Amino acid sequence: MVTDRKYWMDTLVRIAHPVLDALSERRLRTVMPVEALKEGRSDYTYLEALGRTLAGIAPWLETGPRTGDEGELRDHMAAMVRRAIDAATDPASPDFMNFDKGGQPLVDAAFLANAVLRAPNELYEQLEPKVKENLISALLATRVIRPAFSNWLLFSAMIEAALYRIGAQWDRMRIDYALRQHEQWYAGDGVYGDGPAFHWDYYNSFVIQPMLVEVLDAVHDQYGDWSDLRSKVQTRAVRYAAVQERLISPEGTFPPIGRSLAYRFGAFQHLSLMALREQLPEELEPAQVRCALTAVMKRQIEMPGTFDDNGWLRIGFAGSQPEIGEEYISTGSLYLCTTVFLALGLPPEADFWQGEADWSARKIWSGGEAPRDKAISG
């Protein structure tokens, strides 16, 4: 019997391996296809693939088993990732990536920075000194990019938070501005607007809630009001996790609402993050969250057409659906789906991996008992 943990691990490796294997050998530009609705995405797609893949795999690399078959695989992947970071940030590399031209590099440098925060030992401390210098230089290079007045403010904040945590020069103002604006954009009941307007989409999970939580983890002790805000953000994060769990149908589907649906089950990054942090709402059993997320994974990853013949992801929500992609979507963008695997950072003996349990929608639609849902006031 394949356990859920092994299914998660095998699926993550299946998705991530083509990116990391090619980049670790400095041949990503040679072999990675670039599927896109708009020309010119090759300027950005490779950093997208790297940053997003690492954001998802980082917790498993940092805290996964060190022994046995899983430990051996984790060690192999971690070494591959460090070579990939070297290839991406070395100016002499054929796969040296764009960190400062156009707006998009800010986004994916932030996902790379997020990965470093999630795995500081594996993705920073174990780098060779020259690679550390190159990584810091790459992150600093993004400062020429002006973020949009939206969730993009958090990309600048995330990069600065990572620079702070690795002991590099950092800019407090970029973090403070992002935090203050998102506090103004809080819409209530655990949800933020994406800028001044509220959008029906999954950006509270793709970006906003996880980055608010983890930026404040890194820097909350710098100012009293940042520390106070961290408590409020955490309360909202728990509420949003409850909402996310209830969005998963008895069949393992979820509403195809809003933009960026080609990120597939990356829509549940936040729920997986809260499971990893062991900060799920008290009414949710960890096992029911695992079972719900596993059902979603299976529905999407096993759809025909999800991968091309060489194992690269294709644009789509349920299989290959090029029309799902927006003009900013290309092959590299799709690897944000890996963020659903954050809970692999929990050890095999954690409650999350134990037993079977129905999730909320499955309980309710089968006529079973489930706690009433209610809003929060703050």
Side-chain angles (χ1 to χ4, degrees):
M1 176 182 175
V2 176
T3 64
D4 283 353
R5 183 178 178 87
K6 189 172 190 311
Y7 182 84
W8 282 44
M9 182 181 63
D10 289 349
T11 304
L12 173 58
V13 172
R14 180 185 181 187
I15 294 169
H17 190 271
V19 174
L20 300 177
D21 179 57
L23 184 55
S24 69
E25 295 181 355
R26 302 195 172 199
R27 55 186 179 86
L28 185 67
R29 289 180 182 271
T30 302
V31 302
M32 178 176 154
V34 183
E35 181 185 12
L37 298 184
K38 182 180 179 181
E39 293 184 2
R41 299 310 296 179
S42 60
D43 290 339
Y44 313 118
T45 198
Y46 306 110
L47 181 56
E48 286 184 295
L50 173 65
R52 297 170 190 223
T53 298
L54 297 197
I57 202 172
W60 178 59
L61 297 181
E62 188 77 354
T63 60
R66 263 48 181 177
T67 59
D69 291 344
E70 184 177 341
E72 184 177 339
L73 177 61
R74 188 215 60 79
D75 187 62
H76 170 72
M77 296 297 289
M80 189 183 294
V81 164
R82 288 189 287 272
R83 293 196 301 273
I85 293 173
D86 183 16
T89 60
D90 176 6
S93 166
D95 279 329
F96 179 59
M97 295 183 177
N98 168 24
F99 286 90
D100 60 2
K101 296 178 179 63
Q104 185 67 40
L106 178 65
V107 178
D108 299 296
F111 285 121
L112 175 57
N114 202 354
V116 171
L117 280 184
R118 289 170 173 172
N121 178 60
E122 294 291 335
L123 302 190
Y124 184 73
E125 294 300 334
Q126 292 198 45
L127 296 177
E128 295 294 327
K130 184 59 178 177
V131 183
K132 289 181 178 178
E133 291 177 15
N134 287 340
L135 175 59
I136 291 171
S137 294
L139 296 179
L140 289 171
T142 65
R143 286 185 177 166
V144 301
I145 302 172
R146 181 187 182 194
F149 195 58
S150 66
N151 72 83
W152 277 46
L153 296 180
L154 287 168
F155 298 137
S156 293
M158 176 57 72
I159 290 169
E160 298 304 323
L163 288 168
Y164 164 69
R165 288 301 299 271
I166 61 180
Q169 184 268 334
W170 64 294
D171 185 347
R172 297 163 190 258
M173 184 61 70
R174 292 172 193 259
I175 295 176
D176 194 55
Y177 183 45
L179 296 177
R180 287 175 184 270
Q181 284 301 146
H182 279 81
E183 187 64 9
Q184 291 185 33
W185 296 336
Y186 180 61
D189 200 18
V191 181
Y192 296 85
D194 188 359
F198 176 76
H199 296 173
W200 278 111
D201 57 31
Y202 293 99
Y203 270 79
N204 267 259
S205 186
F206 291 142
V207 177
I208 297 170
Q209 303 257 12
M211 289 202 176
L212 279 172
V213 166
E214 292 181 284
V215 165
L216 283 165
D217 276 355
V219 302
H220 69 92
D221 59 351
Q222 296 296 298
Y223 297 104
D225 59 331
W226 285 3
S227 182
D228 293 342
L229 180 59
R230 185 190 188 203
S231 178
K232 291 196 287 186
V233 164
Q234 178 63 33
T235 297
R236 297 163 186 170
V238 172
R239 170 57 182 157
Y240 188 62
V243 171
Q244 283 222 296
E245 191 268 350
R246 284 176 175 258
L247 290 175
I248 300 173
S249 79
E251 299 79 25
T253 62
F254 61 98
I257 296 174
R259 63 194 181 98
S260 300
L261 291 177
Y263 300 161
R264 293 184 171 92
F265 38 59
F268 293 97
Q269 172 179 201
H270 181 72
L271 182 57
S272 192
L273 176 65
M274 297 302 284
L276 172 67
R277 296 167 63 87
E278 298 185 309
Q279 293 173 340
L280 291 168
E282 61 181 15
E283 69 270 19
L284 298 185
E285 297 178 54
Q288 80 183 73
V289 172
R290 184 198 83 239
C291 290
L293 291 175
T294 303
V296 172
M297 289 177 195
K298 290 181 175 179
R299 286 297 299 248
Q300 290 192 303
I301 209 68
E302 296 175 10
M303 285 292 294
T306 299
F307 298 94
D308 72 10
D309 291 342
N310 294 312
W312 298 92
L313 289 171
R314 301 175 70 184
I315 294 173
F317 181 73
S320 175
Q321 299 163 313
E323 68 279 3
I324 286 287
E326 288 91 354
E327 65 176 17
Y328 56 84
I329 295 290
S330 64
T331 301
S333 316
L334 312 179
Y335 289 84
L336 193 62
C337 72
T338 63
T339 56
V340 79
F341 299 102
L342 296 179
L344 270 173
L346 290 167
E349 62 272 15
D351 288 346
F352 183 82
W353 301 110
Q354 312 306 314
E356 302 291 324
D358 285 342
W359 52 99
S360 294
R362 201 169 189 183
K363 291 175 184 177
I364 293 167
W365 283 103
S366 65
E369 294 184 7
R372 291 189 300 272
D373 187 48
K374 60 181 180 179
I376 61 170
S377 58

